[in-house]
């Protein structure tokens, strides 16, 4: 099965479970969790079910397109369901069957893995899902987001698409994976992988990056003061990505590192509270809508 | 008639590491609850798998025993009116107890009659009581709890089903929207939903549904499968108990399988391969009869033997990819030099107020040199020790250790050898982390011991200097464990360096650090910290606390000598033959505290006993001093024994606290001289002597 068909299959499956199909968010980010469709929307009481593919940038993992397993940018298929359905494990296992993975022919396990992202003040409990010893999915019940208690609890399912595909397509090297008939990952992503690695490790302008970090931080704060949640959040994401670029280049010492992470976290925390406050001002509209449907 | 009862809580997959404690907690709380409910039973059996925990209660009593209880009411004078009729108070009391006034009788308490009735409480039926079993389930506590959906309960994992059965009847209750039933679920993929008609069928029925509910049975099954693989392939599969336990708790139905990886990977140090297999993949490594690592591994699948080849193949693919990473790291690491790595240590913070790892390494290096010199090692050993200290942390920034943190030291040793360091230095790097835990071996070489002590003391004294003193369970820098390590090494090595001198050396290295208090206060705090660990270790060696206090009354000194003295005195404390000497010496030491001079003026002597004692002191002085030099404390005691008779004669015929102050201080000076010969050994007045009972 090509990656493209995997995406179509997963979209269909989760759409059938009532998920809104979203597109990737247009700001650089390290993980699908950081999309506002997850990080902000999983806050507060409003129900929210969504699925989308997120290209995720991890500058430090860039390997000039030479490593068979590591990528500057990989793809996650992200599902969020709030509140978490009672049969979520079954729904997930069904999705594997849709991908042609017959549980009877394999060894599928839910192995404890508690997820924590200090930069986002987020923590959750759950598992990594093993398919014959390979971690293919991160499965998390959010307990805290942006320093706020998650109530109700969202469940987050993150499929590592390249990982899963390398199993399904039985390939040793991610660049040999086929995106669709006749098109490999190498065709599409080799050049960007190489160039981004060069940029990250050799050509980026460190002074500019440091300046950008501060500017983005300023802008995020300025916008938060005006209660403009979503624009402010875009600048938090930019801060985070800029920090990742600096970190990958090795120009941030360990002591400074804690400081930078603290700055991003403090932005994430403020914005989490601000989001909930602003939604409350609007009367949690998606909650109301659900109530009306119940009445009808 | 008795009943069999079964409760099963079905959950989403629980963390393997919490299964054992959850099972025993559930069992104990069930028993306690039944006792509290006054229900008797023949036995309670517990079961646990990743997806369920359960108890099977056999022969539970049908109801609680009835109770007859005597209840005291108002005084007789209030209960009866003037004409001898029951008052409202009496009638009300009887009614309140569900009795008739006819049932009232009187009983005298402290000279006054009171109304009493006998209350009959009928035992409640087990049926009704068992509906409250929910309380037991909700009383369970877990190291990590979670919430799910829009529920408020915090529990180990979301509850999926509840099975509650008394014989063939469902015991009705509900937790977080889940209602009890007589249904259970088999293995997630191989099994199905099934109905139980009797609690006693539980284990057997689950087994047909591909679930081994008893975790000991699962473990035994895995062991048998491993043994079978060993015999049929002529392998040796060393079984790590923790790994076996974890693997047992990760599956409902275990089937062991083997896979292979490329022989090329065997060039990587085997510790890295083993870590990759064990920690990352939960595989058992395989060895041949000569203990050589083979390119096979054993995994345990959650399921039966169907499609086992596919499972094995998938696992092989994963392990090969992981090991490829390891080879890559191993080769990449060798492209840089130790100097490159040491440079990078200046970017790694050790502790905010104690600088970087590089700063720490510099301190350790200086300290190592000073210790090595004070032990008069030869030139080569001193140089090797210093070199070991200089590069003892370089592997922390290699990719290999970055990936496999538990290989710190081990990779340092391997790489040092590849980079052409001497054998002594390579070994020293690995040994300087030892002992890694309470029962771990000590460093083999003196060089390893010196650097280990230097590293640990730098951490201990450094942390205490900046106010990071462990309290309660809070000990993030593992100072207690490291202190224990230092004491064990010092005890074993018998260096002539005293504890106090060592601490001074460490503090000299910490001059750049912004300390929270003066060096003297830090020394005292460190000493207290060490004393508490020493007394802990003493307890393990059956040395009592008063003995430890008596031998450390002035300072901790040379730690190995401290223990040698303590062991000797621990024996003497019950030695009948030593009693007279001990009594004489204790008397001397008690009195000696009243004076401070040791200047004896022979012209002040008033009787021959003073003379005799003085001569005896003069006679043993040198031998005792020699015995101390030779660390022969038994001989010290032998020499002191020679004083016994003269001391006793002296006390019998001499008034120490004489009126004449010159005579008095001269006599005290003589006692002081004796005390000074005993003091380096111990303060005998602090010991509870136990020669007689």
């Amino acid at each position: 099965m090509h990656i493209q068909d995997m995406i179509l299959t997963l979209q269909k499956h989760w759409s059938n479970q009532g998920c809104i199909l979203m597109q990737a968010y247009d700001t650089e980010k390290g993980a699908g969790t950081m999309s506002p469709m997850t990080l902000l929307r999983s806050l507060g009481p409003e129900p929210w079910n969504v699925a989308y593919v997120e290209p995720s940038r991890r500058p430090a993992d860039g390997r000039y397109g030479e490593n068979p397993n590591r990528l500057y940018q990989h793809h996650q298929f992200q599902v969020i369901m709030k509140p978490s359905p009672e049969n979520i494990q079954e729904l997930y296992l069904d999705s594997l069957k849709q991908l042609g993975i017959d549980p009877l022919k394999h060894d599928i396990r839910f192995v404890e893995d508690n997820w924590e992202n200090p930069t986002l003040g987020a923590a959750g409990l759950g598992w990594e899902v093993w398919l014959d010893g390979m971690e293919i999915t991160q499965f998390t019940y959010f307990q805290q987001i942006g320093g706020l208690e998650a109530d109700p609890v969202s469940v987050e399912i993150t499929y590592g698409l390249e990982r899963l595909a390398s199993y399904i397509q039985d390939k040793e090297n991610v660049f040999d994976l086929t995106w669709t008939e006749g098109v490999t990952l190498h065709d599409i992503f080799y050049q960007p992988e190489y160039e981004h690695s060069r940029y990250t490790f050799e050509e980026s302008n460190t002074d500019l990056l440091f300046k950008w970090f501060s500017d983005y931080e300023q802008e995020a704060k300025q916008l938060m003061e005006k209660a403009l949640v979503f624009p402010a959040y875009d600048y938090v994401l930019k801060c985070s990505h800029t920090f990742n670029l600096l970190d990958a280049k090795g120009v941030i010492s360990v002591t400074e590192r804690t400081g930078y992470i603290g700055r991003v976290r403090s932005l994430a925390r403020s914005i989490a509270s601000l989001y909930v406050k602003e939604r409350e001002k609007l009367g949690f509209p998606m909650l109301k809508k659900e109530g009306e449907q119940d009445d009808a | 008639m008795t009943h069999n009862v079964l409760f099963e809580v079905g959950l989403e997959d629980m963390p393997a590491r919490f299964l054992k404690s959850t099972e025993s907690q559930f069992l104990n709380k069930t028993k306690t609850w039944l006792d509290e409910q006054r229900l008797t039973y023949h036995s309670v059996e517990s079961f646990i798998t990743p997806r369920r925990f359960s108890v099977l209660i056999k022969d539970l009593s049908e109801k609680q025993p009835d109770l007859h209880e005597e209840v005291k009411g108002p005084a007789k004078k209030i209960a009866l009116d003037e004409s001898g009729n029951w008052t409202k108070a009496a009638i009300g009391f009887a009614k309140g107890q569900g009795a008739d006034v006819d049932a009232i009788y009187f009983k005298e308490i402290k000279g006054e009659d009171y109304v009493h009735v006998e209350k009959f409480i009928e035992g409640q039926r087990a049926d009704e009581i068992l509906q409250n079993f929910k309380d037991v389930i909700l009383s369970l506590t877990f190291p990590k709890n979670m919430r799910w959906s829009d529920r408020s309960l915090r529990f180990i994992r979301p509850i999926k089903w509840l099975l509650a059965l008394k014989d063939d009847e469902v015991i009705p209750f509900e937790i977080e929207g889940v209602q009890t039933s007589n249904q259970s679920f088999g293995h997630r993929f191989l099994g199905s939903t099934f109905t139980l008609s009797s609690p006693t069928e539980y284990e057997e029925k689950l087994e047909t549904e591909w679930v081994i509910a008893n975790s000991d049975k699962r473990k035994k099954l895995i062991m048998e499968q491993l043994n079978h693989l060993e015999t049929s392939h002529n392998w040796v599969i060393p079984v790590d108990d923790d790994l076996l336990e974890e693997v047992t708790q990760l599956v409902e139905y275990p089937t062991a399988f083997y896979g292979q990886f490329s022989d090329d990977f065997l060039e990587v140090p085997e510790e890295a391969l083993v870590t990759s297999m064990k920690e990352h993949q939960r595989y058992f490594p395989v060895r041949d009869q000569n203990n050589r690592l083979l390119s096979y591994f054993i995994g345990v699948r959650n399921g039966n033997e169907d499609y086992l080849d596919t499972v094995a193949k998938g696992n092989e693919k994963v392990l090969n990819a992981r090991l490829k990473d390891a080879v890559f790291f191993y080769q990449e690491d060798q492209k840089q030099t130790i100097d490159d790595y040491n440079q990078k240590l200046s970017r790694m913070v050790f502790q905010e107020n104690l600088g970087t790892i590089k700063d720490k390494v510099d301190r350790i290096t200086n300290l190592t040199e000073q210790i090595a010199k004070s032990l008069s090692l030869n030139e080569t050993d001193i140089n090797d020790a210093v070199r070991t200290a200089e590069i003892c942390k370089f592997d922390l920034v290699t990719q290999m250790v970055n990936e496999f943190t538990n290989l710190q030291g081990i990779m340092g040793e391997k790489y040092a050898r590849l980079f052409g360091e001497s054998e002594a230095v390579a070994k020293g790097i690995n040994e300087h982390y030892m002992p890694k835990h309470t029962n771990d071996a000590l460093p083999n070489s003196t060089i390893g011991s010196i650097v280990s002590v230097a590293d640990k003391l730098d951490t201990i004294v450094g942390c205490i200097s900046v106010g990071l003193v462990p309290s309660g369970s809070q000990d993030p820098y593992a100072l207690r464990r490291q202190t224990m390590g230092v004491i064990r090494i010092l005890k074993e090595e018998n260096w002539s360096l005293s504890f106090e001198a060592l601490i001074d050396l460490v503090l000299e290295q910490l001059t750049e650090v912004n300390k929270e208090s003066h060096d003297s206060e830090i020394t005292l705090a460190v000493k207290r910290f060490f004393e508490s660990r020493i007394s802990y270790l003493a307890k393990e060696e059956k040395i009592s606390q008063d003995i430890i206090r008596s031998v450390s009354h002035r300072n901790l000194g040379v730690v190995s000598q401290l223990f040698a003295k303590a062991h000797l005195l621990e024996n003497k404390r019950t030695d009948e033959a030593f009693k007279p000497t001990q009594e004489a010496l204790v008397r001397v030491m008690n009195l000696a505290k009243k004076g401070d001079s040791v200047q004896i003026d022979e012209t002040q002597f008033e009787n021959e006993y003073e003379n005799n004692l003085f001569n005896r002191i003069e006679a043993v002085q040198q031998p005792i001093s020699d015995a101390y030099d030779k660390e022969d404390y038994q001989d010290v005691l032998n020499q002191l024994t020679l004083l016994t008779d003269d001391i006793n004669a002296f006390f019998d015929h001499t008034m120490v606290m004489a009126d004449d102050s010159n005579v008095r201080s001269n006599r005290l000076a003589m006692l002081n001289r004796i005390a000074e010969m005993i003091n380096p050994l111990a303060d005998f007045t602090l010991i509870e002597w136990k020669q007689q009972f």
Side-chain angles (χ1 to χ4, degrees), chain B residues 641-681:
Chain B
T641 307
L642 299 176
L643 290 166
T644 315
D645 291 345
D646 290 312
I647 292 172
N648 287 335
F650 168 81
F651 280 129
D652 287 347
H653 299 94
T654 317
M655 172 77 175
V656 176
M657 302 308 277
D659 290 338
D660 183 326
S661 69
N662 285 335
V663 173
R664 185 171 67 226
S665 65
N666 199 46
R667 286 175 182 165
L668 286 173
M670 195 142 71
L671 298 182
N672 247 324
R673 279 275 283 278
I674 304 173
E676 275 311 300
M677 294 193 283
I678 311 169
N679 267 325
L681 181 60

Side-chain angles (χ1 to χ4, degrees), chain A residues 84 86 89-90 103 106-107 109-110 112 126-127 132-134 141 143 149-150 153 166 171 254-255, chain B residues 12-13 15 17 144 146-147 149 154 157 160 188-189 281 300-302 307 315 317-318 347 349:
Chain A
S84 63
E86 309 275 322
Q89 278 188 313
E90 285 75 25
H106 297 277
D107 183 22
R109 309 251 201 114
F110 290 82
E112 182 198 15
W127 311 276
D132 297 339
M134 175 160 60
Y141 287 97
Q143 304 291 303
E149 279 292 288
V153 170
S166 74
K171 296 275 166 57
V254 183
T255 340
Chain B
E12 293 184 1
D13 307 61
R17 63 195 168 118
K144 263 189 190 297
M146 63 171 282
R147 289 178 298 111
S149 193
R154 286 174 183 276
R157 281 292 182 268
K160 298 283 283 183
R188 176 177 272 135
F189 305 120
Q281 300 295 136
V300 177
R301 174 211 199 169
N302 181 25
Y307 304 98
N315 279 277
K317 186 177 148 79
V318 180
R347 281 188 11 215
V349 172

Side-chain angles (χ1 to χ4, degrees), chain A residues 63 67-70 83-90 93 103-114 125-128 130-135 139 141-144 149-153 166-167 170-172 250-255, chain B residues 12-18 51 144-151 154 156-160 176 178 188-190 250-251 257 280-283 300-303 306-307 310-311 313-315 317-318 321 324-325 328-329 347-349 352 403:
Chain A
R63 291 290 184 276
N67 187 297
N69 295 311
R70 293 201 194 210
S84 63
E86 309 275 322
N87 60 341
I88 188 66
Q89 278 188 313
E90 285 75 25
L93 290 167
L104 286 171
K105 295 186 184 169
H106 297 277
D107 183 22
I108 298 173
R109 309 251 201 114
F110 290 82
V111 180
E112 182 198 15
D113 190 41
N114 301 323
L125 263 66
W127 311 276
E128 46 184 48
W130 285 16
L131 170 65
D132 297 339
M134 175 160 60
E135 184 199 335
F139 202 123
Y141 287 97
F142 286 159
Q143 304 291 303
Q144 211 190 44
E149 279 292 288
D151 185 19
V153 170
S166 74
Y167 197 95
D170 194 17
K171 296 275 166 57
E172 299 280 332
V251 290
I252 294 180
S253 76
V254 183
T255 340
Chain B
E12 293 184 1
D13 307 61
M14 291 178 280
R17 63 195 168 118
F18 301 149
R51 293 176 72 212
K144 263 189 190 297
N145 292 299
M146 63 171 282
R147 289 178 298 111
W148 64 92
S149 193
D150 49 5
R151 306 274 167 195
R154 286 174 183 276
I156 184 166
R157 281 292 182 268
I159 298 174
K160 298 283 283 183
E176 292 292 314
V178 180
R188 176 177 272 135
F189 305 120
L190 298 167
L250 274 169
V251 297
F257 63 89
H280 295 156
Q281 300 295 136
R282 278 78 155 183
Y283 298 148
V300 177
R301 174 211 199 169
N302 181 25
D306 296 348
Y307 304 98
T310 318
V311 173
K313 222 180 122 245
N315 279 277
K317 186 177 148 79
V318 180
K324 206 176 265 178
D325 266 1
F328 175 77
F329 295 145
R347 281 188 11 215
M348 245 180 131
V349 172
E352 210 181 333
E403 188 77 8

Side-chain angles (χ1 to χ4, degrees), chain B residues 221-236:
Chain B
L221 206 59
I222 296 173
M223 279 306 292
E224 283 165 13
Q225 293 168 351
L226 294 181
N227 289 338
H228 178 73
L229 284 167
E230 277 185 323
T231 352
S232 50
H233 293 89
N234 197 25
W235 287 337
V236 175

